[in-house]
Amino acid sequence: MGNDIESLTHTKWRCQYHIVFAPKYRRQIIYGKYKAEIGKILREICIRNGVEIIEANACPDHVHMLVSIPPKMSVSKFMGILKGKSSLMIFDRFANLKYKYGNRHFWCRGYYECYILGKPTSSVRV
């Protein structure tokens, strides 16, 4: 995919979004022993929903993702799926986190989203 224009039955599209989201209380849990597993979980959920991860980066207290989301799915719907499903999967794999993040809420409620318009992905720094 990348810089190519994608197509559905009656549509040509290239929708790329820069998305940033953080764990609850901005705890620096993403680095260290959980980083690789959280990355696998996020990739798996994106593949299931037909979303391409162009670039991703895990900072100590938040995650940057440059993704290509098909126009049939809204960004808010995708983020709900990504954060909801990944939260459940993270707590299933790391049961000891339940005590730090009660009620299975791993991610903060909000997120940042920016539509990438007309810029090649090489010029976008995430």
Side-chain angles (χ1 to χ4, degrees):
M1 284 192 209
N3 289 333
D4 298 336
I5 294 175
E6 299 297 320
S7 64
L8 295 171
T9 307
H10 301 284
T11 312
K12 298 274 187 204
W13 59 277
R14 185 174 152 219
C15 303
Q16 296 179 348
Y17 299 92
H18 175 205
I19 298 170
V20 182
F21 52 101
K24 198 149 183 101
Y25 312 117
R26 291 188 76 93
R27 290 200 170 131
Q28 297 187 359
I29 197 89
I30 296 174
Y31 258 55
K33 60 185 176 181
Y34 303 115
K35 181 179 178 180
E37 274 305 307
I38 291 173
K40 287 178 188 174
I41 290 168
L42 296 177
R43 274 190 294 279
E44 182 182 330
I45 293 169
C46 286
I47 290 168
R48 282 187 199 168
N49 290 286
V51 174
E52 179 195 9
I53 299 175
I54 298 167
E55 196 173 329
N57 186 17
C59 296
D61 64 347
H62 61 280
V63 175
H64 289 267
M65 291 177 75
L66 181 62
V67 293
S68 178
I69 301 173
K72 63 183 179 181
M73 179 182 293
S74 70
V75 178
S76 61
K77 179 180 177 183
F78 168 69
M79 288 305 294
I81 292 168
L82 182 71
K83 290 167 67 175
K85 296 291 182 189
S86 66
S87 220
L88 295 174
M89 292 169 79
I90 288 168
F91 285 119
D92 284 344
R93 292 191 188 168
F94 306 109
N96 61 331
L97 291 179
K98 291 177 191 173
Y99 303 110
K100 288 184 180 178
Y101 294 92
N103 296 331
R104 293 186 175 246
H105 296 292
F106 184 78
W107 303 108
C108 287
R109 287 177 55 190
Y111 61 92
Y112 168 80
E113 149 207 346
C114 176
Y115 181 70
I116 306 298
L117 181 64
K119 293 183 181 178
T121 56
S122 60
S123 68
V124 178
R125 290 209 62 175
V126 282

